[in-house]
Amino acid sequence: MSHISPVLWQFLVNWLKHFAIFPPEASTIAPYADALYFALVGMTIVGMLLVGTMVTFFAIRYRKSNHPQAIQMEGSTLLEATWTLIPLGIFLVFFVWGAILYFRIFNPPANSMQVYVVGKQWMWKAEHPGGQHEINALHIPVGIPVQVTLISQDVFHSFSIPAFRVKREAIPGRYTTVYFEATTPGKYHLFCTQYCGTDHSAMIGWIYAMRPDDYRKWAAGNTSGASLAQNGERLFAVMGCNACHAGNSQARGPNLYGLYNSRIRMTDGTTMIANDAYLREKILNPSLHVPAGYVPIMPTYQGQISEEGLIDLVEYIKSLDSNYRLTQMMNKSELNSAQPAPIGGANQGPGAAPLPGATKP
Amino acid sequence: MSSTIISLPDQTTARLPRKSYLNQEYGLKSWLLTGDHKRIAILYLISITFFFIIGGILAGLIRMELLTPAADLMATDTYNKVFSMHGIIMIFLFLVPSVPATIGNFLIPLMVGARDLAFPKINLLSWYLYVIGGIFILAAMVLGGVDTGWTFTTPLSTHYLNTHVVTAAMGIFIAGFASIFTGLNFIVTVHRMRCPGMTWFRLPLFVWGHYATSIIMILGTPVLAITLVLVAMERLFDIGVFDPTKGGDPLLFQHLFWFYSHPAVYIMILPGMAVISEVISTFSRKRVFGYTAVAFSSVAIAVFGFLVWEHHMFIMGVSQYSALVFSLLTMLVAVPSAIKIFNWAMTMYQGSITFETPMLYAFGFFGLFTIGGLTGVFLATMGMDIHLTETYFVVAHFHFVMVGGMLMAYLAGIHFWWPKMTGRMYPEAISKLAAVVTFIGFIVTFFPQFLLGYLGMPRRYAAYPADFQVLNVFSTAGASILGIGYLLPLFYLPWSLIYGKIAGDNPWQATGLEWQIQSPPLTENFVEIPIMDHEAYDYEWLANKTQHEVQTVG
Ligand code: HEM
Ligand SMILES: [Cu+2]
Ligand SMILES: [Cu+2]
């Protein structure tokens, strides 16, 4: 049969086998997104019915053979007000609803597990703090909020997981974040949705949502041996950062302990939060924002370090902050709580991913 | 008998007028150097049809590639070039000039009672710029293509592609000036050249729609021009405005581009809405319901359309609070469109409705634009947009508004004013068929794309996972029906130039000034500048006038 028309044949087989019309619902966000979607579909149907009935009814009732003479009339302010205010009201409801969902998707809970993803033409490189590196795949545990920090090393890409109803642009030179919490273990599509050149449509991969213990096993079996922070620590020495950031009183640069997420006063009087973006910017473009009390002598590392290297350094500086270390540890312990709890509440199960390196420089 | 309003002169005795703008002068030169807005409109009509055919063939190639999940018909690079050229040609060389430069050019002077546009030479220059722009874009295509997408996203377009980006950008830059000049001409004409008695609120809504469009053309297009120049400079001289390693900002491009391109979507719909107002009124024999509301909603769309561009960037790391503001403003801009829909529907109430081809296209517009507009609200809803943006849902949305809305309106307008432009009627039966085929083909092509979008199928993919195939096959099948719907007029309209029935001055018994003069009109439009002594869409005035003529003649 199949020689008659391969396309027709494929079509029939596909039709019978998997006729997808609705994506799987596999994250905590998905039901919220779908509820909003169906409400919007409802609005569209009502709107169509309304306009459709009006037009059809008038077309039949007032067709020329039935109603030979038109009756002229002026507009009506009351009617104008009605069909201005009612759609406006409905649209505003959706505005609020959509805004709530948006803020929910883009503002992760504080205890989220961190993952970094670097987009490049045409692949996704994912890095877990524990030192697991993957390409065009991302393994994550279900039931734990995961925050993905994205960046692109070339053009715009976009990180889309339809089954989770989330998507975020990966932009060159700037961190963006997205968060999700998977609910159902399984294998889901990962797409690049921002057109990025030749193999845009091949920049796809899989998200593997796993039960926490499976994830732990996977993490233990796939670690590169050094956590991101440990890599960062090594880089910190190799690139000579510790020459100025030794953390003692003679050092020419500020102490980086506890820096992450703290509020910093700048020479120009403004204050900034030392988030991931700030740390990255500091390494590439140190003279842009100078903390109060320092001379801008830090050299720029623009062009000398890859996005992955920057992530390692950022992760290292983050690990110097005890708060950050704690939340990540809590996460690991949540992971372990899926296991029979080890005696004494030790938070490192036998196969757990290594903790972010916290050794002193 | 009473199911039509077409009233043609007795075909056995009827003749085309002895003198008209078409036979005033002969020869290619008389066309290429003309200052007559009607001839320029015809030049535009021919050139945009040419580009529409090219864009349409490219669309066919896209749909063919997407018949199967693998990228097997063409290489991915080729596919990227095909959809880029399709978008660039359809948007900049077809949709933007479609109604304003052809129907608008032809009618604005007639409707305001003037002998020509304010600046006939600038009008001609506009057409030349359009053609030169078109040649640049064709050159880019023939020399090897462009694969930036119509959106020219940096830094992809500036540093990562070695195709003819600058050539294509220059083409759009030049064609942009054509659009600026058209807008300029319309604004000045509407302000300065209305005939005695033609107050602002006696203008046909067609003119209001074009006035609003012209505002956008004049204020928006220069920003596009600057953006494209920056892209070219970045490519050629590496100036770094969009390059983060040089202190530039890649998001700046997005802001600049959408600052034009969102308002530009209204350039691509307001003139269509303008056509619909005329058509609905004529075939319902009624004054447009809520004239002022419809007029002001056009202006509101034009003005507020400038304040919503960031809804194209909700997931691009813009400040969440600014996204909030832009989402709210987008919701507000959707309201004037709703107002228009309801006013048109109410225009039919207590009318005396007939179903000639332009009216069928207008019905098509109604259905498709309503869906298109409402799905715009999905995308304006921030949390929903995260899932839908950059997928086929967006593709379906904008095809519903641009193809389902604007192209339907354009075809409604072409059929409606065909007798005025050519003096002859198009064949009614086959054109009705074309309208219905187009509508069905459209639904089958683009409705499945909403489902694909919600499934998550990204746009601009040459290959896709196999589970998306069924819906894609539907879409391609629909596209072939749609193609037939568009091919039909390409045959019967030229046919009618010779074999069509003689239309007479006012085959639709419409009220506009353009219908009170001979078809095709004289070069100077009016023998004597008319005096407007009644409101727009005054069917009683028309009835009295016709009666009066019968009395004086008979
Ligand atoms: C009636 C109210 C409308 C609303 C609320 C609306 C809303 C939107 C939104 C929010 C987007 C961004 C989607 C995204 O990229 O995620 C969008 C995209 C788009 N809209 Fe609309 N829209 C409306 C009408 C129109 C009209 C009338 C047109 C054109 C005639 C149009 C053409 C487009 C185009 C071309 C795009 C996609 C551009 C691209 O990314 O290539 N829209 N619309
Ligand atoms: Cu991509
Ligand atoms: Cu827009």
Side-chain angles (χ1 to χ4, degrees):
Chain A
M1 258 313 271
S2 65
H3 60 276
I4 298 177
S5 158
V7 169
L8 206 64
W9 183 251
Q10 267 185 37
F11 174 69
L12 284 175
V13 171
N14 255 313
W15 174 293
L16 297 171
K17 269 201 191 146
H18 31 232
F19 183 359
I21 52 170
F22 203 75
E25 245 183 14
S27 74
T28 51
I29 289 294
Y32 291 103
D34 291 346
L36 176 52
Y37 179 65
F38 287 119
L40 282 158
V41 170
M43 169 197 74
T44 309
I45 292 174
V46 171
M48 282 307 290
L49 281 180
L50 190 68
V51 175
T53 354
M54 269 171 91
V55 171
T56 324
F57 175 74
F58 293 160
I60 295 171
R61 171 69 184 77
Y62 299 112
R63 66 187 188 279
K64 191 173 181 211
S65 49
N66 205 29
H67 196 248
Q69 189 59 46
I71 301 171
Q72 300 299 330
M73 64 187 69
E74 266 310 306
S76 138
T77 317
L78 186 67
L79 276 179
E80 299 295 344
T82 317
W83 58 54
T84 305
L85 294 179
I86 294 180
L88 180 67
I90 297 175
F91 296 164
L92 288 183
V93 169
F94 283 112
F95 159 69
V96 174
W97 193 342
I100 294 172
L101 184 61
Y102 183 86
F103 278 78
R104 196 191 287 261
I105 295 177
F106 284 160
N107 294 297
N111 64 339
S112 315
M113 178 182 139
Q114 298 289 318
V115 181
Y116 296 88
V117 171
V118 179
K120 75 176 273 259
Q121 285 178 324
W122 292 278
M123 62 169 77
W124 293 109
K125 298 181 286 187
E127 315 207 314
H128 300 249
Q132 295 81 1
H133 301 267
E134 329 181 44
I135 285 182
N136 290 342
L138 179 62
H139 289 74
I140 47 146
V142 299
I144 289 181
V146 177
Q147 177 179 3
V148 182
T149 300
L150 290 157
I151 194 156
S152 162
Q153 70 183 51
D154 41 40
V155 302
F156 279 68
H157 300 280
S158 197
F159 184 83
S160 159
I161 311 171
F164 296 171
R165 314 286 188 275
V166 297
K167 183 183 290 126
R168 188 64 143 167
E169 202 88 0
I171 300 173
R174 178 187 296 218
Y175 286 129
T176 52
T177 60
V178 64
Y179 118 88
F180 48 77
E181 182 179 330
T183 50
T184 325
K187 186 178 165 195
Y188 305 106
H189 283 298
L190 161 65
F191 294 125
C192 170
T193 51
Q194 175 65 271
Y195 174 61
C196 57
T198 309
D199 274 334
H200 168 53
S201 59
M203 192 164 161
I204 56 177
W206 294 102
I207 303 291
Y208 298 91
M210 315 170 92
R211 262 179 286 280
D213 44 346
D214 292 338
Y215 174 74
R216 218 168 27 72
K217 278 194 209 113
W218 173 85
N222 285 276
T223 175
S224 58
S227 73
L228 298 186
Q230 284 165 342
N231 282 338
E233 185 180 2
R234 200 175 41 81
L235 271 177
F236 200 76
V238 172
M239 308 210 59
C241 314
N242 49 8
C244 302
H245 295 290
N248 51 32
S249 52
Q250 290 94 329
R252 289 184 292 165
N255 187 347
L256 302 182
Y257 275 82
L259 173 65
Y260 185 59
N261 266 342
S262 63
R263 194 173 275 280
I264 303 162
R265 278 185 66 78
M266 299 293 150
T267 10
D268 60 6
T270 56
T271 59
M272 293 185 81
I273 305 271
N275 53 16
D276 299 37
Y278 173 81
L279 297 180
R280 180 179 180 283
E281 187 66 49
K282 206 62 225 172
I283 301 169
L284 295 179
N285 212 345
S287 52
L288 200 61
H289 306 285
V290 179
Y294 289 93
V295 249
I297 48 161
M298 175 163 162
T300 167
Y301 291 87
Q302 185 88 344
Q304 302 173 32
I305 185 165
S306 68
E307 287 301 342
E308 284 94 334
L310 283 166
I311 287 173
D312 292 341
L313 279 174
V314 167
E315 184 67 17
Y316 168 65
I317 298 173
K318 281 160 104 175
S319 76
L320 299 177
D321 169 49
S322 44
N323 264 333
Y324 176 74
R325 217 158 36 201
L326 200 70
T327 53
Q328 289 299 298
M329 256 158 48
M330 268 163 39
N331 239 314
K332 293 275 168 355
S333 62
E334 265 175 44
L335 267 184
N336 290 342
S337 66
Q339 296 275 93
I343 302 152
N347 49 33
Q348 270 197 295
L355 272 179
T359 32
K360 295 227 149 92
Chain B
M1 175 245 133
S2 62
S3 58
T4 175
I5 46 162
I6 304 182
S7 61
L8 302 178
D10 180 0
Q11 294 296 312
T12 49
T13 55
R15 293 273 172 281
L16 285 181
R18 207 162 37 81
K19 254 181 73 179
S20 75
Y21 81 99
L22 289 171
N23 59 15
Q24 175 88 2
E25 285 176 282
Y26 291 100
L28 197 58
K29 214 176 117 195
S30 75
W31 281 88
L32 293 183
L33 296 180
T34 182
D36 182 356
H37 64 105
K38 299 181 287 305
R39 285 193 165 202
I40 296 171
I42 301 293
L43 292 176
Y44 256 120
L45 180 65
I46 296 168
S47 15
I48 70 166
T49 307
F50 170 75
F51 283 110
F52 178 69
I53 294 172
I54 298 187
I57 293 172
L58 294 168
L61 289 174
I62 296 176
R63 284 310 330 162
M64 243 134 77
E65 167 60 65
L66 294 179
L67 206 48
T68 55
D72 38 18
L73 182 68
M74 44 189 135
T76 50
D77 266 332
T78 319
Y79 179 81
N80 295 344
K81 287 175 185 167
V82 169
F83 79 68
S84 300
M85 291 312 303
H86 164 72
I88 292 173
I89 289 180
M90 285 303 204
I91 296 226
F92 298 109
L93 298 181
F94 178 72
L95 282 165
V96 167
S98 60
V99 171
T102 58
I103 309 179
N105 228 336
F106 197 97
L107 289 167
I108 299 276
L110 296 177
M111 286 184 164
V112 303
R115 296 203 190 278
D116 206 322
L117 285 173
F119 308 113
K121 288 196 176 124
I122 290 188
N123 198 17
L124 183 64
L125 177 61
S126 146
W127 179 72
Y128 275 102
L129 289 175
Y130 170 83
V131 171
I132 296 171
I135 290 174
F136 267 80
I137 289 171
L138 280 186
M141 181 164 93
V142 174
L143 295 176
V146 201
D147 51 355
T148 52
W150 79 278
T151 47
F152 286 87
T153 314
T154 58
L156 182 68
S157 61
T158 51
H159 288 94
Y160 291 87
L161 298 174
N162 49 10
T163 49
H164 299 271
V165 181
V166 176
T167 320
M170 285 337 284
I172 296 172
F173 180 88
I174 297 167
F177 280 89
S179 145
I180 294 177
F181 288 156
T182 305
L184 179 76
N185 240 327
F186 286 177
I187 288 193
V188 177
T189 307
V190 174
H191 273 275
R192 308 294 306 164
M193 299 180 64
R194 282 168 288 132
C195 67
M198 181 63 85
T199 60
W200 280 88
F201 291 100
R202 282 180 176 173
L203 287 171
L205 288 167
F206 184 89
V207 178
W208 274 96
H210 277 76
Y211 185 80
T213 310
S214 306
I215 298 176
I216 309 179
M217 285 174 159
I218 291 191
L219 296 181
T221 320
V223 179
L224 175 72
I226 293 164
T227 315
L228 292 172
V229 168
L230 287 175
V231 167
M233 303 250 278
E234 181 99 9
R235 250 186 105 82
L236 300 172
F237 311 115
D238 224 352
I239 56 173
V241 262
F242 303 134
D243 183 352
T245 60
K246 297 200 175 66
D249 184 353
L251 272 185
L252 177 63
F253 172 83
Q254 298 290 327
H255 282 291
L256 290 173
F257 184 82
W258 290 113
F259 183 83
Y260 164 78
S261 290
H262 182 82
V265 308
Y266 293 117
I267 298 182
M268 297 181 251
I269 195 68
L270 282 171
M273 295 170 155
V275 169
I276 297 301
S277 292
E278 302 300 308
V279 170
I280 296 271
S281 163
T282 302
F283 294 96
S284 308
R285 319 300 306 153
K286 264 191 66 202
R287 179 173 162 82
V288 174
F289 191 84
Y291 173 99
T292 16
V294 177
F296 280 125
S297 62
S298 296
V299 179
I301 289 178
V303 173
F304 292 109
F306 276 105
L307 306 175
V308 301
W309 76 89
E310 205 183 272
H311 65 215
H312 296 269
M313 307 166 61
F314 282 157
I315 66 160
M316 292 197 188
V318 293
S319 140
Q320 295 180 359
Y321 298 99
S322 77
L324 212 56
V325 174
F326 280 94
S327 170
L328 180 63
L329 288 168
T330 308
M331 295 298 183
L332 298 186
V333 180
V335 174
S337 301
I339 295 179
K340 278 177 188 278
I341 294 274
F342 286 114
N343 277 298
W344 289 324
M346 272 306 280
T347 304
M348 295 170 61
Y349 174 67
Q350 303 238 323
S352 176
I353 301 163
T354 55
F355 304 93
E356 283 78 16
T357 311
M359 190 64 162
L360 293 190
Y361 277 114
F363 283 141
F365 172 95
F366 248 80
L368 303 179
F369 179 74
T370 307
I371 299 184
L374 286 172
T375 51
V377 175
F378 286 54
L379 299 169
T381 306
M382 303 152 78
M384 194 79 263
D385 183 62
I386 294 177
H387 179 51
L388 296 175
T389 185
E390 298 167 359
T391 68
Y392 263 82
F393 194 95
V394 175
V395 176
H397 157 69
F398 68 70
H399 281 86
F400 264 77
V401 274
M402 300 202 299
V403 183
M406 184 59 157
L407 196 52
M408 285 280 178
Y410 171 73
L411 288 169
I414 289 289
H415 285 86
F416 185 58
W417 282 289
W418 191 254
K420 185 52 65 184
M421 291 177 166
T422 66
R424 289 184 185 271
M425 296 301 291
Y426 56 83
E428 189 69 29
I430 185 166
S431 61
K432 279 187 175 154
L433 179 74
V436 174
V437 170
T438 315
F439 183 80
I440 295 172
F442 184 89
I443 296 274
V444 181
T445 310
F446 291 105
F447 192 79
Q449 298 187 359
F450 283 126
L451 300 175
L452 278 172
Y454 204 76
L455 274 173
M457 175 161 165
R459 60 195 286 200
R460 299 169 168 180
Y461 262 32
Y464 55 85
D467 26 344
F468 298 160
Q469 190 183 11
V470 173
L471 290 167
N472 272 297
V473 170
F474 271 108
S475 189
T476 302
S480 15
I481 305 177
L482 191 58
I484 296 173
Y486 291 143
L487 272 179
L488 288 174
L490 283 181
F491 288 108
Y492 66 70
L493 288 180
W495 174 90
S496 76
L497 289 178
I498 300 168
Y499 302 105
K501 294 188 184 139
I502 305 282
D505 294 359
N506 195 355
W508 312 122
Q509 297 301 305
T511 57
L513 285 183
E514 79 272 25
W515 295 108
Q516 316 311 324
I517 55 174
Q518 67 172 52
S519 331
L522 292 169
T523 301
E524 63 271 28
N525 295 349
F526 302 96
V527 183
E528 173 178 347
I529 289 293
I531 294 171
M532 185 73 174
D533 52 6
H534 56 276
E535 302 300 312
Y537 313 110
D538 189 340
Y539 289 90
E540 269 161 42
W541 167 84
L542 183 73
N544 289 338
K545 173 176 173 264
T546 326
Q547 210 179 7
H548 184 70
E549 272 165 13
V550 172
Q551 278 168 1
T552 43
V553 175

